[in-house]
Amino acid sequence: MCLTFWYHMYGSSMGTLNMYIEMDQALPSVPMWTKSGDQGDEWHMVELQIDIVAEYRGPGSLYSTFVRPSDSTMCLTFWYHMYGSSMGTLNMYIEMDQALPSVPMWTKSGDQGDEWHMVELQIDIVAEYRVVFEGIIGTSFYSDIALDDITFVPGLCSSLIPACHPLGVESGAIADQDITAKSFSQSSQTTGMFPYNGRLHGGSAWVAGTVESGEWLQVDVGENQYISGVVTQGHATKLQWVTSYKLKFTTGAGDWVFYKINGIEKVD
């Protein structure tokens, strides 16, 4: 048998692609073919002669490294290309405890056109796992399956996050009493530096009662919301502004949590 495939390995931190021949449900310790490192932004073809009379595995499988999520919510993103009149099937499984489930988490069969398609899948698992892609050939060689740009990102997938819109701090939809602070300047009564003056494009600003760290401005948005961004600005008429800050949030249960990226508190 002649095994033919194309591969694309491009990037300064490229890993390794191995190809094994598995027989008797035993994966050999040494791959039949391997390639490591950046191979350039181009596709390469490989032809391998297989002279085996015993049964060996037909579907091709691609395994990720094991994922140990610090956050139970992860977004798996990948691109696939399935083009050909006799196209087979591409499956994606979540493997835990070295056991592959009988039903894939995601599957696609048949000709999907000569174009790339993106998939986002939400994975809510706290245990260690890895992702397994399985490609099953079609009825002839007119069936090309390709995968690219497989990434894991903590948090919700972008397709599951509602479209962003202003929550009402600038417009006034959020009432004055819902904007509070640890302190405010004692001159606020005459110069308008109350917490609720901390709105975008207003005539004044919120000014803390001290210049020490630990001051805070709090906005009650009324209900649980997806917050996709925070915009701040300095005083409307004076050269005064906050140079850095962190974000905390709560669902109302009383526990405040710092906003983090990759486990590190985000500082703006």
Side-chain angles (χ1 to χ4, degrees):
M1 297 284 288
C2 179
L3 170 65
T4 303
F5 62 91
W6 292 76
Y7 71 91
H8 186 279
M9 299 174 65
Y10 178 54
S12 58
S13 58
M14 179 55 59
T16 299
L17 177 63
N18 295 322
M19 195 285 290
Y20 298 87
I21 296 293
E22 178 183 308
M23 295 186 294
D24 300 324
Q25 297 183 339
L27 202 66
S29 59
V30 179
M32 179 179 180
W33 177 92
T34 184
K35 187 67 68 174
S36 298
D38 182 8
Q39 304 300 315
D41 189 12
E42 58 184 313
W43 288 89
H44 305 271
M45 189 185 78
V46 176
E47 287 186 327
L48 297 173
Q49 196 74 29
I50 302 177
D51 299 310
I52 300 175
V53 295
E55 181 182 67
Y56 56 91
R57 177 171 290 186
S61 298
L62 178 67
Y63 297 82
S64 75
T65 57
F66 281 97
V67 178
R68 300 171 178 85
S70 57
D71 188 335
S72 60
T73 301
M74 298 286 285
C75 181
L76 168 66
T77 304
F78 62 91
W79 292 76
Y80 72 91
H81 188 281
M82 299 174 65
Y83 179 54
S85 58
S86 58
M87 177 55 59
T89 299
L90 177 62
N91 296 321
M92 193 284 288
Y93 299 88
I94 297 294
E95 178 185 305
M96 295 187 292
D97 301 323
Q98 297 183 338
L100 204 65
S102 58
V103 178
M105 179 178 181
W106 177 91
T107 184
K108 187 68 68 173
S109 297
D111 182 7
Q112 303 301 314
D114 189 11
E115 58 183 311
W116 287 90
H117 305 272
M118 189 185 78
V119 176
E120 286 187 326
L121 296 173
Q122 197 74 35
I123 302 176
D124 299 306
I125 300 175
V126 295
E128 182 181 77
Y129 63 90
R130 68 177 175 180
V131 170
V132 180
F133 289 94
E134 178 188 55
I136 302 175
I137 62 175
T139 56
S140 76
F141 59 86
Y142 291 108
S143 56
D144 296 326
I145 300 177
L147 287 166
D148 196 12
D149 199 15
I150 303 170
T151 58
F152 291 94
V153 179
L156 291 172
C157 293
S158 60
S159 61
L160 301 179
I161 300 176
C164 61
H165 59 85
L167 295 178
V169 176
E170 179 182 3
S171 67
I174 293 179
D176 289 348
Q177 63 266 26
D178 292 326
I179 304 177
T180 56
K182 180 180 179 181
S183 70
F184 54 86
S185 173
Q186 294 300 314
S187 61
S188 294
Q189 296 185 21
T190 57
T191 58
M193 298 179 183
F194 292 105
Y196 57 76
N197 291 119
R199 302 176 185 268
L200 287 177
H201 308 300
S204 182
W206 163 63
V207 177
T210 72
V211 293
E212 301 174 356
S213 62
E215 293 287 345
W216 48 260
L217 181 70
Q218 177 178 311
V219 179
D220 186 350
V221 298
E223 60 182 353
N224 289 342
Q225 300 267 12
Y226 289 107
I227 308 297
S228 57
V230 176
V231 180
T232 61
Q233 64 181 169
H235 196 289
T237 60
K238 300 178 181 180
L239 295 178
Q240 298 175 348
W241 58 86
V242 173
T243 57
S244 67
Y245 61 91
K246 296 181 180 180
L247 293 175
K248 274 187 171 182
F249 61 92
T250 181
T251 58
D255 295 327
W256 288 84
V257 180
F258 277 108
Y259 172 62
K260 299 179 181 180
I261 296 180
N262 295 328
I264 301 175
E265 294 176 7
K266 172 67 174 173
V267 180
D268 289 298

